[in-house]
Amino acid sequence: MTNNFSVYNTLTRKKERFEPLNPPFVGLYACGPTVYGDAHLGHARQAITFDVLYRFLLHLEYKVRYVRNITDVGHLENDADDGEDKILKKARLESLEPMEVVQHYMNRYHANMQELNVLDPSIEPRASGHIIEQQELIRKIMKAGYAYEKNGSVYFDVIKYNKSHPYGQLSGRKIEDLLSNTRTLDGQSEKNNPLDFALWKKADPTHIMRWPSDWSDGYPGWHLECSAMSTKYLGMEFDIHGGGMDLLFPHHECEIAQNVAGYGKPSVRYWMHNNMITINGKKMGRSLGNFITLDELFSGDHKMLEQAYSPMTIRFFILQAHYRSTLDFSNEALQGSEKGLMRLLKSIEMLDLVNPEETSTMDVEKLVKKCDKAMMDDMNTPILIGHLFEGVKWIHGLTEGRHTLKPSDLEKLKSLFHNYVYKILGLNKTESSRAGDQITGNLVEMILQIRTNAKAQRDFDTADRLRDELANLGITIKDRKDGADWEII
Ligand code: ZN
């Protein structure tokens, strides 16, 4: 199979033609959530970015194994090597078993992903289920001489590693700068160097999540799971590793170092990173008061929200920006997305009702090529959506009789919209019918108001006629003292 799909590789800092190691198979790994709180817009953007990549690869007829992990152990506060485990902290605050916290937020995450129409990955491994694999990798790294044990904990020796392998290649950081920017060890830390990172941590007596090991009863460092689990399910070398830009350093940088030290070579061919979300131009943060969860967005229940936004509106809003650009959230922008999405989905429904004519007045093939080109160019979804809206104008021209399409072109235009809008961008129709339901509801209410006014003016003929006409449409009315209830049968 040939195609010209190109992706921006964070490692080489350029767009490269996508060529899988073993076509038609593609190995795709994306970092999943640490499950200690409700999912927010940042989670949605990352999941949707790699969901669209997954969908597009499937559309290009690759056989994709998509692995997205769940971090349920070892992720400490502030991504540091010391401090409290994020899940344990939540468990302590809520008097829960840590795995209750994990289960609860994992279920919530899955529910949110389903609402956003994010496809399930092929495998969703959990860090706590791969302790043996992680310990094995630690032993390999120690054997290669790139890790050392201190008081039951094991640390990766960044300085030694950097002597033979460039550390900081992915994030473009230089070890000298990193060293001058880090505070010197305060005497509290047992690490040889502040840049060293934990592979295994000895658990203190109060730490509940712990496993026996060669070094101590403890738990793995956060970065280790992705090296161990990607290798287990995708092999020592695989095609694409994705994640948010916030994971680039230190998480992914450490991942590369672990793979090179443990397995002798870096595992990933293309590194892809989605950019961050800002809220009204500011970074999102719990301490800044502008932290909005997906559930709050879907319900509208947050002081910064002017209304509720449907999951499909959120999905469309995210896809209206290129995944490598920052995306600024505002009520205004989301309301724009809501209108745009409704117009797009409505047009597809209209297109399904168009009849073919003898000649075509538009070049459908050219539009298809333009759409393909946009997606092939590092998944440029905003440009793709722009072209689709060109098609929306055509659809209006077709329904208003200003344009015509012969049967083959009409079919091409339909499959263009079905493929790109439903299959690849993953936008679904239910939202449009929900929007349609809302309009229907408003119209019925309006007619009932006219009927109530007619009754008030003792114009019973009009009132009865409206009731009968509505009954003909399958809408029954039950009169109340102060108005009427209605239902569609
Ligand atoms: Zn990861």
Side-chain angles (χ1 to χ4, degrees), residues 56 363-377 379-391 393-394 416 420:
F56 190 54
D363 190 345
V364 178
E365 192 55 42
K366 199 172 159 193
L367 184 68
V368 172
K369 282 202 175 117
K370 275 168 35 179
C371 289
D372 290 343
K373 195 171 164 227
M375 264 315 270
M376 293 288 192
D377 181 17
M379 297 203 294
N380 202 326
T381 55
I383 299 282
L384 166 69
I385 291 169
H387 293 325
L388 290 172
F389 271 97
E390 212 174 299
K393 277 193 208 144
W394 290 8
L416 172 77
Y420 272 114

Side-chain angles (χ1 to χ4, degrees), residues 51-67:
D51 181 55
V52 170
L53 174 61
Y54 178 40
R55 288 166 176 270
F56 190 54
L57 289 169
L58 293 175
H59 174 74
L60 294 175
E61 295 178 345
Y62 288 115
K63 297 192 185 318
V64 188
R65 183 179 295 161
Y66 177 23
V67 182

Side-chain angles (χ1 to χ4, degrees), residues 29-32 46 69 71 222-227 229 241-243 247 251-252 255 271:
Y29 186 96
C31 291
Q46 181 169 327
N69 67 304
T71 298
W222 171 40
H223 314 309
L224 195 62
E225 62 181 277
C226 291
S227 287
M229 299 193 296
H241 192 313
L247 297 176
H251 186 57
H252 291 157
E255 207 179 310
W271 281 93

Side-chain angles (χ1 to χ4, degrees), residues 19 87 202 204 207 277 324 344 373 397 437 448 464 487:
E19 286 174 77
I87 291 160
K202 181 184 175 174
D204 66 44
H207 200 103
I277 286 199
R324 286 192 289 117
L344 179 63
K373 195 171 164 227
D437 287 350
L448 291 184
D464 289 347
E487 65 178 339

Side-chain angles (χ1 to χ4, degrees), residues 354-367:
V354 168
N355 290 317
E357 304 286 340
E358 270 179 30
T359 53
S360 293
T361 57
M362 296 167 301
D363 190 345
V364 178
E365 192 55 42
K366 199 172 159 193
L367 184 68

